[in-house]
Amino acid sequence: MHGQETLQEQEIENSYLLFRDSLGTIISNKLIQMEGVHMCKKSKIILNSALVLFLLVSLFQIQPRVNTALAQGTNLSVYGRVTDGLGNGLAGVTVFVDPKFKVFLPVISVSSASSKSNSTSISDIQYSFSAITDAEGYYTIPDIPGGSYYLQVDLPGVTFNPEFREITAETTGSQDFDLQMTPPVITPETVVLTELSNQYLDGASYDGETFYFTQMSAELDLVDVGDIIVSDVSSVDPDGYFRKVSGISPQGSGVVFTTVPATLEESIQDGTSFLMETMQPSQVKSITALDGVSLIESDVNAPLTFYFEVEDVVLYDEDGNPATTNDQVKADGSIEFDMEFVFYLDLQGSQVRRFSLTNENALRDTLEIYAEIELLSLEEETILAEMYFSPITFMIGPVPIVFVPKLDLVVGVDGSVKVGISTEVSHVFSMKAGVQYRYSSGWSPISEISSTYTFIPPHLTFEMTLKGYFGARFNLFLYGVAGPFVKITPYLEIKVEPFETPWWTLYGGIDVPVGFKAHDVLEKLLDLEDYEVYAIGLKQVIAQAQVVDPGEMVFVPAGEFQMGCDP
């Protein structure tokens, strides 16, 4: 076996040498054609050609066997710890290694004789190994083939020190990563109000802009016009508040503050906020849902899973009269998912240096769209349920940063509803998607996805195109007014053209818009422009008919469109 692997390495090296020598021949021929060219120009061409050859040779050079992923020496093993910047271990984080040297071009082919044996393909030359940190943040990645690698933490949008490490056979010691946590520096214009003051905040007149405190406190005595008042959650404001004082008026034994929106950069000169949370149904503080939508109690074996059932929810009603049902479009089905998010905000010099929200989900769904009416065009999205979670507070120095998670469950249709349809597709996927901001480069999306489908062939009639989807939109609002969002919308789309080949095509896909927005353009809380982009836009053919088969057509006045299967 060792002899075969050595032979394969020699074949790859020979292919590389052939490529190098061929390039050298081309350059030599070019020089022969240059007889009579002015010496200065000729020198420039020689220099440029030599530079190209050098770059290509450097790019594709096969390193000595002891330093590559093809090495036959002792395997590597790395270990270390990932911490949160405060000395605490980060659990459940993936640490991975990637080869330092990757061959992209030229494509090196092995002979057919070699390929019939247990030969290694080019794709197999590239290794990727990983481990997940334990409860204390420790990890070990054993049995890595000898070579040169980059070691990194898989948390997109988050800065670690160092950002990566180089490892080789000579690497020793613990390979640690520490979250970038900038020491907090708070501006003197910031006044934190606690329960000592909030107990006197008049709830009857409170509107988030005018603050009437019926009595004074030592904290309130410190507030001047232009200062920023900030508070954790309270009985009067369950989302906390963060406002700039524009006016102060004594009233009786108390005081009235009039306020305007403020930004975190005005209060926090330096500081870092980091959250990594797995959302749970037990954290839902309030829920508003349409009739027919219910959140099913979690199974004891899956306490982190959200499971919703949808029964006869009206998406469209032609005459607006619920009593007449022959002109409605309805939805049935279920959606099940779990949700973990990572939030990171790093402020330095009163500027956002890095900001990100990443959602990690596994989801499966079933959706049926019933149509009792024919429509040439229909585009409807309905919010099935709105859920607010208990606020989460993170401290940057003495300043409480209040996060209010919100989850909207939506269902929608887009296309023409004019035929009887019946089909079924099972859709299961896992994904990581989000949005990040860097001071040096601006906004960009984060995306990673894997998905699978199974299907039952449809029964269809007239020409049509229809798209149906469930969606889960996750918002993380700062003090309940502004923040990043991720919307996940897996869908099924069917296109029918009875006299074409194929006469029907079934598509499966997922759209994931991500971004940053505020309820009010004036209340951004961060000095960042609104942003929205599709982090994931995936559409693929699941199945299609091969020939026109009128015998398969079923002419009925109304029917159903179904996506997914019950778990």
Side-chain angles (χ1 to χ4, degrees), residues 78-82 133 137-141 151 173-177:
V78 295
Y79 64 92
R81 193 180 188 213
V82 182
T133 57
Y138 292 99
Y139 72 91
T140 300
I141 308 177
L151 181 69
S174 183
Q175 304 300 302
D176 298 337
F177 293 90

Side-chain angles (χ1 to χ4, degrees), residues 360-363 428-432 448-452 536:
E360 189 165 355
N361 306 85
L363 183 149
V428 179
F429 74 89
S430 60
M431 56 148 277
K432 183 182 292 183
E448 179 183 312
I449 186 169
S450 63
S451 59
T452 59
I536 298 174

Side-chain angles (χ1 to χ4, degrees), residues 353-403:
R353 307 302 296 188
R354 195 160 193 185
F355 172 69
S356 67
L357 172 69
T358 305
N359 259 58
E360 189 165 355
N361 306 85
L363 183 149
R364 60 194 304 165
D365 62 345
T366 298
L367 175 62
E368 295 178 86
I369 304 294
Y370 296 95
E372 301 292 342
I373 184 174
E374 293 187 356
L375 299 170
L376 293 177
S377 177
L378 176 64
E379 185 176 355
E380 289 289 330
E381 180 174 286
T382 300
I383 297 179
L384 299 174
E386 290 183 309
M387 287 164 287
Y388 282 93
F389 293 79
S390 299
I392 303 169
T393 301
F394 184 93
M395 304 298 294
I396 296 183
V399 176
I401 309 297
V402 182
F403 302 90

Side-chain angles (χ1 to χ4, degrees), residues 203-219:
S205 61
Y206 180 70
D207 59 4
E209 297 181 4
T210 301
F211 293 72
Y212 171 38
F213 295 92
T214 57
Q215 294 188 41
M216 295 298 293
S217 69
E219 295 170 346

